[in-house]
Amino acid sequence: MKYIFKQICTRIIGIPVNFTTTIEEFIAHDSLKMSYTRQPLSHEIFMRANELLFEQGLDDLDLNVSEWEDTKCFFANGESSALPFDIFAASFYLLSRYEEYLPHVKDDYGRFTAEESLAFNHGFLNQPVVDIWAFKFRKLLKAHYPDFVFPSGSTKSRL
């Protein structure tokens, strides 16, 4: 979980990220904050968490890819969530190349082929979806915390 949050928040959109499991510490925090759980805590940005980042080992997942604005998404998470899918679980799935560790048809050299990938089969292989999602997440943060000053380097889309 720490890996993907730091990838999205720190490396892509340029904001530091910290974690807490203490409700009092969370409530007392007076800047950007969000809950990544199954239920919202109060009036913060709530991202409904998919179980993927809390699991041990690998599992063959049944993923449903859908359209979201100008891109695709998966790990849908319901109406109460700030985004219609779990950006962190989906990004982890893609960046870790999760599907390559599952049983699959290999090429003549024993490799996972692009044609076997979720991205190829759903038409987003050549789209930088993780960056797209991250900048949409940044826009969401900015809308909820308009007074927060984002680092200048994070305003430039690398797309």
Side-chain angles (χ1 to χ4, degrees), residues 38-85:
R38 303 297 271 159
Q39 299 292 326
L41 298 173
S42 63
H43 301 291
E44 76 284 357
I45 294 174
F46 168 64
M47 298 290 284
R48 190 172 194 322
N50 181 279
E51 293 301 315
L52 179 68
L53 299 181
F54 301 98
E55 293 179 351
Q56 297 290 321
L58 299 173
D59 197 8
D60 192 11
L61 305 170
D62 183 25
L63 300 178
N64 296 310
V65 177
S66 58
E67 299 287 329
W68 179 52
E69 296 181 5
D70 55 348
T71 190
K72 308 279 184 166
C73 68
F74 52 100
F75 290 128
N77 58 10
E79 294 178 18
S80 62
S81 186
L83 293 176
F85 72 107

Side-chain angles (χ1 to χ4, degrees), residues 4-17 88 137:
I4 201 59
F5 271 82
K6 287 188 179 196
Q7 182 66 31
I8 299 284
C9 297
T10 306
R11 292 184 186 104
I12 298 177
I13 60 176
I15 56 173
V17 62
F88 301 103
F137 178 59

